[in-house]
Structure formats: C-alpha cells, structure tokens
Amino acid sequence: MSDQDAMKKQAAEAALSYVEGGVIGVGTGSTVNHFIDALAGIKGRIDGAVSSSVASTTRLEAHGIRVLDLNAAGELSLYVDGADESNERLELIKGGGGALTREKIVAAASRQFVCIADESKLVRVLGAFPLPVEVIPMARSFVARELVRLGGSPVWRDGFVTDNGNQILDVQNLEILEPAKLEQTINNIAGVVTVGIFALRPADVLILGTPDGPRTLRR
Ligand code: 5RP
C-alpha cells in the first residue's frame, strides 16, 4: 500500500467514530472504499446505507450491508465521502470519480457531512484539480462554450458515462476564489446537471490522514 493510500485508510477508519446508527450516506472513491471495508466490521450498528454510486452499492452489498433507496430512507444523520480538494472552509471539489450528482444529493439530505481524505487534498484555493461538471449529453458543447466565457478550459471526459447516463466536462485553469458564487453561476447554465463545487453545502468535518495520524478540521 502506498503512503497516500495508507493515509486515506487512516482517515476512513477515523470516520467510524461518527457512525451512531440508523441509515448513513456513503460516498464514492478509493478513500470511501476503505471506509466501506471498515464499516463492515461494525455493520450491526447501522440499519443500512444510502449509496452515491453503483460502484459503492456493489461494495456495500458484497460486505452484506443493506443498501436503501434515498426515497425510502428520509433524512440521514451522517454522510461520509472523499474529495478531490478541500479548502480550510471545508468547501470542496468533488467528482473525480464522476459520482458528483448523487454525492451532492446525499450530502444535501444528511445532517452531518464528514469528508475523508489524505492531507494532499487540503489546498489554499480550489481549482488546481480540474472541476468536474456533469452535463446532459446534447448540451455538452453549449455548456463548454459558457465555461470558456467564465475563464475555464473544459475538457470532455471522452468515453465516460455517469450513473445517470450523462457526460462530464473537466474544467481546467480555474482559480476558484468565491466557490459558492461560482457554484451558483455554473448551476444556472442550461444543460448543467451538477457542478463539482460543494460550497453551498460544504463538509462539516474534514478528517485528513497525515504521517502523524488523523487531523480533524471543523467548520
Ligand atoms: C467521486 C469523488 C471522490 O470523492 C473523489 O474523487 C476522491 O476520490 P478518492 O477518494 O479516490 O481520492 O468525488 O466522484
């Protein structure tokens, strides 16, 4: 296991202390995969999970953890997910794995959002990581032109189809100084399903794996 992967695992295992029972929301990605594996050890404590992707559903079910539809689960007490970047205000870029739409829905439906990552994900200003934007396929070129007008350089994630049947533009060269404002602006472009800025609903807790052990930041 690489040092980075070990730090992801450390953060994921530290998040177990936030699991208090009921139905919890579970995100997507390599850090969350460590969380799912750790969750399997205490699965008797929860009633099940709402998953943010087909991949996480498969992994949860392989561990014998019940996966519920969000419509049947109601409000969730806890959502645990990774991130591609976080600033000190716990505003995030997410969607590197392409699951941003369901992630944003489950985060919005949860009282507490615990984000888990290795320490390399903490940045001063969001935007070095290309910003994922999920788009309705017929709107791809139009949305790309609008993103250029905002100063970005969108690149089509060619060959990738989201769990919702849509496409992703990864927007390079954005220095995101006002994340909530840009989130609203991009949300308002016709054809955008979801933008990977999580600032209107940021994380509440960020657990970073570090060489010295888990570091926790709160909003
Ligand atoms: C998936 C995501 C992931 O949380 C993000 O890409 C981080 O992934 P990893 O834990 O593999 O570094 O937003 O859509």
Side-chain angles (χ1 to χ4, degrees):
M1 186 184 293
S2 69
D3 288 352
Q4 187 184 28
D5 204 38
M7 288 191 279
K8 290 180 178 193
K9 186 165 186 272
Q10 181 198 98
E13 290 174 353
L16 283 186
S17 64
Y18 290 83
V19 178
E20 285 178 349
V23 178
I24 67 165
V26 174
T28 300
S30 57
T31 316
V32 166
N33 283 345
H34 288 301
F35 176 73
I36 294 172
D37 296 348
L39 187 64
I42 59 159
K43 65 183 179 188
R45 266 199 238 163
I46 59 169
D47 296 326
V50 169
S51 165
S52 70
S53 64
V54 173
S56 288
T57 297
T58 303
R59 198 173 188 101
L60 285 160
E61 289 180 340
H63 282 300
I65 298 171
R66 189 161 73 108
V67 176
L68 289 89
D69 187 307
L70 181 62
N71 292 304
E75 190 186 46
L76 307 176
S77 55
L78 174 68
Y79 179 54
V80 178
D81 198 358
D84 299 301
E85 282 184 348
S86 174
N87 64 19
E88 296 270 357
R89 297 160 56 94
L90 310 198
E91 297 164 325
L92 313 172
I93 286 185
K94 290 186 47 52
L100 62 164
T101 296
R102 296 187 189 188
E103 291 173 343
K104 200 172 268 197
I105 294 167
V106 183
S110 301
R111 278 199 299 280
Q112 188 177 40
F113 177 2
V114 174
C115 184
I116 52 177
D118 68 271
E119 64 174 1
S120 72
K121 305 289 183 75
L122 184 65
V123 298
R124 198 177 59 77
V125 178
L126 299 177
F129 188 92
L131 175 66
V133 180
E134 181 168 351
V135 297
I136 298 288
M138 71 167 284
R140 190 187 68 241
S141 297
F142 166 70
V143 173
R145 289 194 295 277
E146 294 296 300
L147 292 167
V148 168
R149 279 155 55 99
L150 293 173
S153 308
V155 176
W156 177 24
R157 204 183 290 183
D158 198 0
F160 183 87
V161 178
T162 70
D163 287 349
N164 313 304
N166 297 317
Q167 298 176 347
I168 300 270
L169 294 168
D170 292 303
V171 191
Q172 300 171 346
N173 299 325
L174 286 176
E175 196 188 25
I176 305 176
L177 298 172
E178 296 179 287
K181 194 171 163 198
L182 188 63
E183 182 176 1
Q184 279 169 319
T185 301
I186 297 178
N187 271 339
N188 282 341
I189 301 172
V192 168
V193 178
T194 304
V195 53
I197 301 174
F198 284 53
L200 298 169
R201 199 289 178 244
D204 302 301
V205 176
L206 173 63
I207 305 174
L208 295 171
T210 84
D212 304 321
R215 174 182 169 208
T216 301
L217 284 76
R218 289 190 172 76
R219 263 196 321 129

